[in-house]
Structures are given as structure tokens and as C-alpha cells.
Amino acid sequence: MSQTIDAPRTPVRPARKKGINWEKWGWIYMRASGVILVVLIFGHLFMNLIVGDGVSAIDFAFVGGKWASPFWQWWDVAMLWLALIHGGNGMRTIVNDYARGKMTRTILKGAILAAVAILILLGTLVVFTFDPCPAGQPADLLPSFCAA
Amino acid sequence: MTQDPSDSTIIDGVHYHQFDIVIVGAGGAGMRAAIEAGPGAKTAVISKLYPTRSHTGAAQGGMAAALANVEEDSWEWHTFDTVKGGDYLVDQDAAEILAKEAIDAVIDLENMGLPFNRTPEGKIDQRRFGGHTRDHGKAPVRRACYAADRTGHMILQTLFQNCVRLGINFFNEFYVLDVIMSEVDGVEQPAGVVAYELSTGDLHVFHSKAIIFATGGFGKIFKTTSNAHTLTGDGVGIIWRKKLPLEDMEFFQFHPTGLAGLGILLTEGARGEGAILRNASGERFMERYAPTIKDLAPRDIVARCMVKEVAEGRGAGPNKDYVYLDCTHLGAEVLETKLPDITEFARTYLGVDPVTEPVPVMPTAHYAMGGIPTNVNAEVLRDNTTVVPGLYAAGECACVSVHGSNRLGTNSLLDINVFGKRAGNNAVAYVQNAKFLPLPEDPAVFVRDMIEGVRNNPGTERISVLRKELQEEMDTKAQVFRTDESLDSVTKTITHLRDRYMNIGVQDKGRRYNTDLLEAIELGFLLDLAEVVVFSARNRKESRGGHMRDDYPDRDDENYMKHTMAYLTGDPHSSDAADHIRLDWKPVVMTRYQPMERKY
Amino acid sequence: MSTATIDAPAPVDDALKPFIVTLIVRRFNPELDDEPKWVDYDVEMFSTDRILDALHKIKWEQDGSLSFRRSCAHGICGSDAMRINGRNRLACKTLIKDLDITKPIYVEAIKGLPLEKDLIVDMDPFFESFREVQPFLIPSKKAEPGKERIQSVADRARFDDTTKCILCAACTSSCPIFWTDGQYFGPAAIVNAHRFIFDSRDDAAKVRLDILNDQEGVWRCRTTFNCTDACPRGIQVTQAIAEVKQALMRGKP
């Protein structure tokens, strides 16, 4: 009867299971990935928007040209993985903080996991299987090296 | 945190528990006793608050011990200062124990984890304090071990932490209201206590072999006081109602530096660090009254001088009703590092910044030197010499007497540690061979009747009105200066208030957290104790320490070099206090020091 | 010096004029009410009065059944932590003059702990998580008999901030994580662990760090700084939590 408002704390706390401490590594991951992402994202923005003709230079040929180089492939894949897991973990935290019901939590976290996994898979697939010189396309849309 | 002891049983709605030792009160003395008692016997600590709310936490300045970490010192000098500070009404054997065991008491606390301030060599730092001198009064000495201006807070936290370590059983927010006495071979002995659980309104009987009272003081009989709202003398009142005597109740300490109008304490440590009291014209008036140690004279002397300055028109402020504590020359760094809390109090409550402005101060009711008489083993006395087996008291509620008629600053934190420890140890030794005494058929009947009586009383008087009148009368007529006339007048007021108390009505009739009911019962204790204080004060026709009579301004060793013992003899509600209070005397124990005039 | 004394401002100037303040208190009597309700009270106050004085005035002059905890009344005992205008404060340290009294003042119990009655909550869960961090000195060897342990001034200063804690629960009950996840240790327990982890005399930092390395330990902290804002003792709570996190990363204090 006394507990008409906020959820009371349950004093019984299960002992921590041995093994990997996901909360700790999650916390460390958020900080580390954050720092790396700053570099990756600003590098990405600098290359795409400022260098050379800047934003007006972006077209299929520009992207194709970039992904022909393994350096940029790995740059973008790293950005993809780090950012999606970073974002997904952040969303998980928010769900943990604000979703009250156990069921709601499970569903929301499952949805986040699915979204992250699918996007990572698709993105990785695209970056590594991207064909910069698809057959039968007008040459002016393709990167210059396709003509060779 | 309240432990739920699995061995408690419920009979007729009353919970029964059994413990070897029950400690009433979870302040410094109670928890210090628990740390000794817990490992040696099955112990329960019962408090009407959570332990960390106890008023030990409000103590600021320090804890005296002749460690000699910063300059030459000896426990013998400390004994002398304690005896002289108490205006020679101190039992000197007890004072000697206090000063000797002080050193171990401080070391104990440090070893338990108390974060004392440190000297450059890493030892416990010490500062000056009022009345503590080198070589029998030659100059102030650095004797008070301290942790900034929150020494009491650190002691309370450290003791609580160690109770947690030892897994002490706490019963928090249980209000003890009665001691059950059983007769063994014609001698009354305690068999347990009865407590009222605030959260549920249930009654609990704690059957026990030994009981330690550590319930603190009763400063709330006064209006301007540094004491907490909860310091209503419940433990002392329970003992009084059991017709056991109270000792030296007329001696109440008024701390010189309470925030003007509020009574919030500003530590004497401020003056220990060099702060100065000034009157309206900026004069350092203590130079006139105590030329040797000036602002570091004992509290009774400083408090009286302050009131005198104001009475003679040299007070400051729009109503000329306070003096100043000037800390401005100490500098921001000393204030922020050594006196941070009081600096904040002045800023928060008066809007005065001690770094740049002097702080308005006036004496505030602070400490009861008197209380439940005990011997040096913390055993409660039923007369001048006979102990009540199994009953102990320690801390402010007890009167050993190490404080005599005026306690020195820092000696109270010492008292709770030295005599709390002794009470715990002696209780453990006692319960090894003692038996549980049989309980009466319905041990809770007295408390049940009292609570239901208050709850269902159809009266119209408000508790707050009666309490306010009591406190204001005590402030104007029984404070730093007293006369036969003023004491007579406040006696009449108390008698009148007691009559009106019979006609109180509480608005909250519920069982859970009925703080309205709680305040009503507390007021009952306050009225009882105020009457004893005033009655004892009228009888002592001299001025000594905390008891200052305008009509008898001198100390009279011939007639009054003895402790007052007050006994409740009749119906406490009879109209004339003399009909139910009998006063007797108890000799002062003197060993090394003969009374001398007290000059500083 | 004496000029400063004479020119000192009288602190009672404003206090001479009382005015009416409206308090809206969230009341709940478990024996009568199903739900807590907000109740208005008008009280005559001085600007230097505290919220605690206002509550006392209500209790003593209007409704004796209003229940709240209080003891020392000057911010040392930690009894009267409550939510005042939506912020966790001690009622005895919140002065009327520091609030906007053109609007009513809302007073309610602290959140996240079970409400017992009016402004009183069950503190047991709070103290339970305090006990779990082993908040007491654990030295590896005994001190020399009759001697203090030596500690340098700098080592003592290292944990000074967190020794100030009065266990009032203002921080823990201001923490949004604690509101939704009662299993979280909460800022107060971490502060008290910090006090021992960084005490040079203590040798059990590893044990406490291990406890706080829990899923419900320091990693749950989102650094919202609510706790630091709420602390009536001015403890840099969020910083203390961050220092414990750093100690965990290093594996030692």
C-alpha cells in the first residue's frame, strides 16, 4: 500500500556472474569508439566536402573511385561498424533507463539488435562487393579508370 | 537497515525480542558501546532516529587528548584543566580516567578509520581550544585532535561504519519509552525496555540482561539552542520517572558562539584558530575579563561576558542584542580549509561572509553537564553509592561527573568515547554471569496506556503552543543569569504548563509515523526535566560554572562544593514541585587538586 | 578592524517583514489515502526562514498530521532531504529568500524510494546499498599498538571531499538511473566507497572496485550531474564516480 509511486528498489541483488563484464566494456567501448569516430567522421567529411571541388564533385564516379581503394573501403567499414554499435549501445542504454516492463525491454532491445546487425551486414556487403565499373553504363558517369 | 531478528515473537500484538545487551540511543556513546558489546554479546541498538542523524554529528571543533603531537603536553595537565574548567565540581578520579584514556580513545578512532587532519609529519594534528592550557594554566595548548570543523561528523560516521563492519543489530526509528524493572531479592533491576515502532505504531519488548542508556541531552527545554529538534531528554526522563535520581541538573552549558537569533553552533575552534570576539565598538572585550587566555576562556565565562556586554549596552546590531565573532583576519584559506562548515553556516543562514565580515553571535543552550548519575564504570547509581545492576549510562545523558559545573570544549566527544567504551565493556562482563529476569505479565502496559492516553485525549491544547511557552520562559528566566525570583516564576509557569499538558489533543490519530504523537510525548519529558533543572537551580544559592545566580554571584565552597541529587518522590503532577522532588547532596571526589579561585 | 565591525550590515533587516508564502505539499496517509494528493497551505514567513520552518509552521499551527523527518535543522544530520520545486534539497538549508515566492513552492518526498507517509520514505534500501560497498577501513595489517597510522597531508586531502557525506540520500534519489533501476548502487554508495578506495590507509580498494564493477555499479552512471547539484554538502559526486571509473580502468586507485 505504501508503494503507490515510484518503483521501489529491490534490496536483493544477485551476485555478479563471473565472465565478461559487458557494462564495463560497453562503457569503455563508447568512449574509445567515440574518439575514433570523431577522426573518421571529420576525415570523411573533409575528403567529401572540402578537398578539391568540394561537395559538387560528389557523384557515382566519386564514390566508385573512393571504394576502388582498399584504404577508403576499410575507412568506411570501420566508420559503419563503430557508429552503428555505438548508436545501438546508446539506444540500449536509453531503453534500460526508461523502459519499465521486462517484455518491453526485451522487444526494444531485440529490435535495436536486429537493426544494427542488418545494417552492418548490408553496409559491409555493399562496400566490399561494390562494382565501380558496371557493364553497359554511359562512360561519363563512371570513374575515369573504367575506360582503361 | 533495521534487522529483522528471526527469533522475535508476537504475543497479543506486542513483539518480543531477546538480547543480552540493549543500547538505547545510536549516537557517539551508544555506537562506541556497541562496538565493544557487539562482538562479546548479543546486542541491539535502538534509536528513535537513523544512527547517522544523531547529534554527535553536529559537534565541530575537536576531541581533546594529550597526544603531544605538536607541542609538549601531558594527561595530568588535561586533568587539571578539566577540573578547573568544571569549577572544581568535577569528580577528580573520573577526570583523571577521562584524560588518561583520551589518548587511547583518539588512537582507537584513528585506527578505525577516522580521517583526522594531519601534521606535516603525518601525525594527528591538534589545535587550541577554550580552557585547555599547558602546565596548569600558563598558556593555551594545542590539545584538540580535529578533522576540519566536522570532528563530530567524522566520529559519528566512523563509529557507524564500524558498526556496519561488525554487523550490529540496529532498530532504527524505534522510540524507547520505558525500562521494565523486576525485583530480585528486594532490589529493583532492569529486565528490558519497551519501544514504540514509529513506522507501524507497534510496541516491542526487548528482554535483556543489561541496558545502556546513551540518549543524549535535552537542550530543547530552551528556545535558543544548538541542539537538534529531537534532543528532548527521553532517556533521562525515563530514568527520572522510574524514581532513579538525576545529578547536577542545574548545570547547563551555554555555548558562547551560536549564530545570533538562530542558535546554530559556531565552533570554539574558530577562536582556537585565532578568531576574536568584539562588541559594537570593535573592542576585544575578553581582554578585560580574562587577560591571560582572553577569547579562549571556558565557555561559561565567555558566555556570561557576552551577555554582560549586551546588557550594558555594548551590543551590536539594530537592537544591540548580539556581539561579533571576528574571523576576517584569519584569511580565506584558514576559513575554507579548517573551518569550512561554520563559514558556510554563516553564509547560508545569516548571509554574512566570515571572510570579509564579522559574524553576529550570542550564547546558545548547548550541553547538559548533569544527567543520570553513574560511577566511573558507567554503572547507573540509585543513590550516592549503590549501583543498579545491569543498568549503564554514557554520554551527555550521564553524569559521571567529568564535567562538573562546566564542560570544557572537546571533552564531550572524549566523554562519549571513553565512557561509551567502558559501558560496552562492563556490560559484556556483566552479562556473562547474569540471567534474564522474568518479565511481568504485560510488560508493555505502561507504554500502551501512555500512547493511547495521548492519542485519544480529547483535549484542546496544542503541543507547539505549550512547548514554545516553556522554551521562551526557560530562555528568559533560567538561562545564563538566574535569580530566585526568575526561577520561581518559571517554576510556576512549568506547573501551569503541566496542567495544560493534561488537556492536550493530537490531530493525527493514525498509527504510522505519527510524529504528532511523538512530539506530544517528547514534550512530556521536556516538562519533567525543565522542572528538575529549575528546582535544582533554585536550591543552589551560589554561582558556579554554568549555573550563574545574580542574587548569589560568588562561588560558595563551604556550602555547595557538592553535587545535587534530585529524586522523584511523589506524584509528578502535584502542583508544588517540592511535593514530589526531593533534593540531596553527593560529595565531590577530590584527589590531587584543591579548589582555587578560577582565573584565566 | 573596528571600522569593519561598525559598518557590518545588520542581518535581520529583511527579516522584519513577514509575508505569505504558499506551499503545495504532496500528502499521503497510507491509512486513509489510495493515492498521494497535493495540498495547499498558506504560511506567514520571513525571508530568512527555511522551508523546514514553513513545514513546522504548518504542522504546529495548521495540520498536526503532516509528517516529515528532521533533527539538527542546520544541514548536518541529513534527515530532511526532500524535493523542493522539483529539486532535491535539505529543507533546513533552503531559505525562502532563495526561492521565487511569487509562485507556490512545491514540496514532495524524494523519489525512487518507497513512500511511507507524506514526506517520509523508506530509507532501508538506501542504507542497504551503502552497506554493500563495505564502507569501513580495511587495512592489511594492524596499526602499532597505541600509535596512529601515519598519513601525509596530501594523502588525507585526496579523499577529503567524500568524507563530508551525511547519507541524506539527496543524490541517490535525484539520479534518473536510480528512479528506473532500483538495483543501481546509486551515487551515495559510490561516494562512500570512494572515501575508502582513495584512503592511503586502506588496503581493500580491490574488493570495493570489484563490487562497483558490477552491471549495477559505476558503469550505469550517465553523468547527468543531478547528484552533484543535489548534494547539500557540496560534494563533487559525479567527479567521485568518474574517479572510481578511472580506478577501475587502471585496476588500482
Side-chain angles (χ1 to χ4, degrees), chain C:
Chain C
M1 200 57 58
S2 56
T3 49
T5 316
I6 292 160
D7 297 342
V12 284
D13 276 351
D14 298 339
L16 299 174
K17 299 177 265 347
F19 43 81
I20 298 291
V21 177
T22 304
L23 266 82
I24 305 185
V25 183
R26 191 165 188 254
R27 301 285 312 261
F28 174 63
N29 183 343
E31 291 166 273
L32 301 174
D33 307 333
D34 294 328
E35 285 290 319
K37 56 178 190 277
W38 292 95
V39 183
D40 296 23
Y41 299 95
D42 285 342
V43 274
E44 197 177 68
M45 303 297 299
F46 296 92
S47 69
T48 52
D49 280 342
R50 301 160 261 191
I51 291 296
L52 181 64
D53 297 316
L55 293 172
H56 269 147
K57 268 198 128 151
I58 296 170
K59 183 172 182 63
W60 293 342
E61 292 167 16
Q62 299 180 35
D63 185 350
S65 71
L66 178 67
S67 301
F68 51 90
R69 294 191 178 102
R70 86 282 184 266
S71 187
C72 80
H74 64 284
I76 292 299
C77 76
S79 298
D80 60 353
M82 49 189 78
R83 259 165 91 82
I84 298 165
N85 283 345
R87 286 170 179 269
N88 278 14
R89 294 286 181 264
L90 294 183
C92 61
K93 280 192 89 169
T94 308
L95 271 61
I96 299 289
K97 68 181 167 66
D98 298 328
L99 297 169
D100 175 11
I101 51 157
T102 56
K103 285 183 255 170
I105 300 166
Y106 288 84
V107 181
E108 62 187 305
I110 49 176
K111 282 173 65 142
L113 291 162
L115 183 63
E116 293 278 342
K117 183 181 181 186
D118 294 343
L119 302 173
I120 297 177
V121 297
D122 180 4
M123 295 290 284
D124 284 352
F126 171 79
F127 278 102
E128 202 47 57
S129 64
F130 166 75
R131 297 169 92 99
E132 274 186 62
V133 300
Q134 310 211 3
F136 38 82
L137 193 75
I138 310 176
S140 59
K141 55 179 192 287
K142 282 195 130 157
E144 268 181 76
K147 283 269 176 5
E148 69 256 54
R149 290 192 171 80
I150 299 297
Q151 181 170 52
S152 72
V153 173
D155 283 348
R156 165 66 178 79
R158 178 66 190 84
F159 63 100
D160 185 64
D161 201 37
T162 43
T163 61
K164 297 189 293 194
C165 175
I166 54 175
L167 297 170
C168 67
C171 59
T172 295
S173 62
S174 74
C175 173
I177 311 302
F178 183 76
W179 293 340
T180 51
D181 177 9
Q183 297 291 301
Y184 174 44
F185 275 96
I190 299 171
V191 158
N192 280 280
H194 177 281
R195 179 249 173 274
F196 287 100
I197 290 170
F198 292 94
D199 187 334
S200 60
R201 299 169 296 171
D202 186 271
D203 297 307
K206 257 210 131 47
V207 177
R208 292 190 198 90
L209 287 174
D210 218 38
I211 295 169
L212 292 178
N213 198 1
D214 188 276
Q215 191 178 356
E216 303 294 348
V218 286
W219 310 114
R220 297 288 269 133
C221 169
R222 306 275 176 270
T223 56
T224 49
F225 283 86
N226 274 19
C227 49
T228 304
D229 173 66
C231 181
R233 303 284 285 160
I235 301 173
Q236 297 299 313
V237 184
T238 314
Q239 187 185 331
I241 298 174
E243 286 174 1
V244 173
K245 285 176 187 165
Q246 279 170 5
L248 269 168
M249 308 255 282
R250 282 195 302 270
K252 62 183 190 336

Side-chain angles (χ1 to χ4, degrees), chain A residues 4-56:
Chain A
T4 56
I5 52 164
D6 319 296
R9 175 197 177 81
T10 344
V12 194
R13 190 198 315 275
R16 182 163 74 84
K17 290 178 233 57
K18 289 289 163 204
I20 299 169
N21 185 341
W22 288 106
E23 283 295 333
K24 173 185 170 180
W25 287 109
W27 187 87
I28 294 171
Y29 172 83
M30 293 303 267
R31 269 92 199 141
S33 62
V35 172
I36 300 169
L37 278 170
V38 168
V39 177
L40 292 179
I41 292 169
F42 278 101
H44 171 84
L45 294 174
F46 181 74
M47 288 308 295
N48 282 17
L49 307 180
I50 296 170
V51 174
D53 292 337
V55 67
S56 57

